[in-house]
């Protein structure tokens, strides 16, 4: 089986192609403001370099949030389009689970959501102990004595994304492209401002 793995939800962009439990390529780059312009170019260039055709993909694994609203939208849009055109299914994955997946211990992955809040959870490897939520950093970590895993904060541990482990866990999960939605965990600032005006 051939799988495309895509993560654009955080400050890193990860694009990987897996064939029969072997990673053919794994691109891990800093996410920047040009993601919408270069995401398909990155995928296309690496497919060409490794002699892969889009029709070779049997399934797509996508990190659909939480994290960067713009990054999530880019990744979800690309995946929905590819899955629709290729008539293949998708398996969505949490960014927080992805960040914790390379650890074999209890960790607390966090993504900065600003103003003292984070998207956070507690995982033991890929097993969720405390659900993904939008929560204050202080409340999430006040009784936690393990490793804090984050791309965003100083004095934390670097996330470790184990693509093969994530694929193995989610390989039997399938949704149609029309059912894939971003996992924002909170409303956008524009939506919050609109709600405030209505109330």
């Amino acid at each position: 089986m051939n799988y495309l793995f895509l993560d654009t939800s955080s400050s890193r962009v990860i694009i990987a192609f897996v064939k029969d439990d072997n990673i053919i390529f794994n691109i891990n780059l800093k996410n920047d403001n040009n993601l919408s312009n270069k995401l398909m170019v990155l995928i296309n260039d690496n497919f060409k370099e490794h002699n892969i055709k889009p029709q070779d993909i049997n399934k797509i694994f996508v990190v659909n949030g939480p994290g960067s609203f713009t990054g999530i939208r880019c990744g979800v849009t690309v995946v929905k389009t590819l899955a629709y055109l290729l008539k293949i299914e998708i398996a969505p994955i949490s960014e927080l689970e992805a960040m914790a997946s390379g650890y074999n211990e209890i960790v607390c992955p966090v993504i900065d959501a600003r103003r003292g809040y984070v998207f956070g959870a507690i995982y033991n490897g890929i097993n969720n102990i405390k659900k993904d939520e939008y929560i204050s950093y202080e409340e999430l970590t006040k009784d936690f004595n393990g490793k804090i895993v984050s791309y965003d904060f100083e004095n934390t541990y670097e996330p470790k994304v184990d693509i093969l482990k994530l694929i193995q866990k989610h390989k039997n999960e399938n949704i149609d492209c029309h059912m894939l939605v971003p996992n924002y965990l909170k409303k956008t600032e524009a939506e919050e401002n609109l709600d405030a005006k209505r109330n």
Side-chain angles (χ1 to χ4, degrees), residues 69 73 184-195:
F69 289 148
R73 281 193 296 269
Y184 293 131
L185 283 188
K186 73 177 286 284
K187 293 180 178 180
T188 65
E189 192 170 335
E191 289 172 321
E192 289 175 344
N193 291 339
L194 186 60
D195 287 345

Side-chain angles (χ1 to χ4, degrees), residues 21-51:
D21 298 325
N22 295 304
I23 296 177
I24 306 303
F25 69 78
N26 181 7
I27 309 303
N28 189 323
L29 303 169
K30 183 171 175 53
N31 198 344
D32 59 32
N33 295 328
N34 296 315
L35 181 62
S36 59
N37 295 329
K38 68 182 186 182
L39 185 55
M40 281 306 298
V41 174
L42 282 168
I43 294 171
N44 189 52
D45 287 351
N46 281 281
F47 271 34
K48 282 183 178 178
E49 182 180 339
H50 294 88
N51 198 27

Side-chain angles (χ1 to χ4, degrees), residues 80-134:
K80 288 180 75 139
T81 303
L82 282 172
Y84 175 76
L85 293 173
L86 297 171
K87 296 180 173 55
I88 58 176
E89 292 186 313
I90 301 164
I93 296 171
S94 162
E95 174 66 24
L96 297 168
E97 179 185 356
M99 291 166 62
S101 61
Y103 286 91
N104 294 313
E105 59 187 296
I106 296 175
V107 297
C108 177
V110 295
I111 301 167
D112 187 11
R114 294 185 280 183
R115 300 186 184 96
Y117 279 77
V118 295
F119 302 114
I122 297 176
Y123 280 84
N124 186 352
I126 54 175
N127 299 311
N128 184 254
I129 295 173
K130 181 176 173 58
K131 69 174 185 173
D132 296 10
E133 59 186 328
Y134 173 69

Side-chain angles (χ1 to χ4, degrees), residues 6-15 26-39 42 68 71 74 95 150-153 158:
L6 185 64
D7 179 0
T8 60
S9 295
S10 72
S11 57
R12 307 295 300 179
V13 174
I14 302 173
I15 306 167
N26 181 7
I27 309 303
N28 189 323
L29 303 169
K30 183 171 175 53
N31 198 344
D32 59 32
N33 295 328
N34 296 315
L35 181 62
S36 59
N37 295 329
K38 68 182 186 182
L39 185 55
L42 282 168
S68 158
C74 287
E95 174 66 24
S150 180
Y151 292 111
D152 304 321
F153 296 103
E158 187 76 11

